[in-house]
Amino acid sequence: MLFRKNRKRFHEQIQLNTQQEITGQKGLLSSDLDENLHVFHSIYQDCMDVVFRTFLIGGQTRAVLIFIEGLSNLEEVDDNVLAPLASETEGKVRPRELLEKKIHISKMKEVKTVTECIEYISVGFPVLLVEQEMVGLALGLCKWEKRSIEEPQAESVVRGPREGFVEALHVNTSLLRRKIKSPDLKMKSRKIGRYTDTHVVIAYMKGLADQTLIEEVENRLQRIDIDSVLESGYIEELIEDNPYSPFPQLINTERPDVAAANLLEGRVVILVDGTPFVLIAPISFFSLLQSPEDYYQRFLISSAIRLLRFVFMLMSLLLPSLYVAVLTYHQEMVPTALLISMFSSRETVPFPALVEALMMEITFEALREAGVRLPKQVGAAVSIVGALIVGQAAVQAGLVSAPMVIFVAITGVSSFMVPHYTQGIALRMLRFPIMLLAGSLGLLGIMLGVILIVVHLCGLRSFGEPYLSPIAPMKKNELKDSLIRAPWWGMNKRPHLTGEYNPYRQAPGQKPNPGKGDES
């Protein structure tokens, strides 16, 4: 115990000494260039990618340019900074004069502290320090490799936009600006992470999003004190209402059109630098079963597919449990001919129906995860061929029955109907306890499991919004976009989330009237 206390005190002292060395004189830059160089050399010790380019301005005034190789545009640095300053003829040059006369860069900022310099250098801005000047210049000449805009693999659609978010934050914000050109689209930035200093942007529509919701999102982000934020999942887990619920309380999406549509309904979008997945809040259970393609096809087709999606969602949750319960406790519910066929197929199976179902479900989940983790060229083949081979071999070996393989396969296909992957994972996880209840209590156990899930969903909130809204509590106007999708000319009002809101999204009377245009 004494050793641990001494070690902790030792590390705290080292951290304090380092901080004092870095931020001497409250972190202000010195007029002595050598002193500034000593501070930055000590900070970036053993950092081989940090470049200190020392040169003379007009052959008289010493200056240094500090930047990180790979994050700064070296060609622009040579053309717009080093070359103009080398030809400077005046002896003493102030940063403001450099800005006005020699350096023609659209994005520049004066920096006065060591902390500011580190922040700009870390994102690719070269920092220019000049002898006898206590002010430096951060030059907007950053350039780093980034992935091009592509169609999201997990949210592909037959009809709709083909572009998706990327890992660069400024690209993602520009994609939103391309969708929503109004200046009412506001974006607030903050940094989270002691070491990563990750940029996080809160986007919302002024006049549509409730101010209380915006403040709540800001407060939850402000409470986060963590070493690093490498993906939006870090933030999602730290700001959700119920961390122990298996159901997601925020939507993550790679599609700018989905983010823009939710912004126009009064929701808040959280963008994180370094990941293509943005977070949307608040949400409901029904928004997790909505696909972006529902709004690009005809409303009759979209409504039919959405209802089918709800049916298959229930099947993916309850079908194996129903098979176990009926086969174990309620054989009278099965027609005699079918019951004889099912029991004849189970003659050589040494396990009860519950063990048989658990074996097949666990095997199927393992094959699915293996297919996801393997390279694309072999992943699909392994998951499909593996399921066929394992299922056929298990039936021939007498370990499982053929009906069980059929039910597990139907369950697996049903789970693929859920549009959002996080919601599908929640249903897959809840499938196992319901199977245990079905094997113990039969249909009564299934009813008990469903009641517990419904009670949990009724008490769940997403930033104050009831999770089962608009069913519980009932909001008749918003039922037009829950179980079905009403036509666009019938959805005049946007959802009422929290607090005050702008109710009307379009003018009334948008329903097409055939023949009206023929009057002339």
Side-chain angles (χ1 to χ4, degrees), residues 216-230:
E216 180 64 21
V217 174
E218 291 179 340
N219 291 335
R220 294 191 187 189
L221 291 177
Q222 189 174 4
R223 291 198 300 264
I224 298 177
D225 185 8
I226 192 172
D227 283 349
S228 63
V229 175
L230 302 179

Side-chain angles (χ1 to χ4, degrees), residues 467-495:
Y467 203 66
L468 290 183
S469 176
I471 302 296
M474 179 65 70
K475 299 179 182 179
K476 296 182 179 180
N477 183 65
E478 297 179 20
L479 293 176
K480 297 178 180 179
D481 192 19
S482 55
L483 297 177
I484 62 172
R485 202 273 283 180
W488 275 115
W489 42 262
M491 294 191 294
N492 296 331
K493 291 186 177 181
R494 58 174 51 90

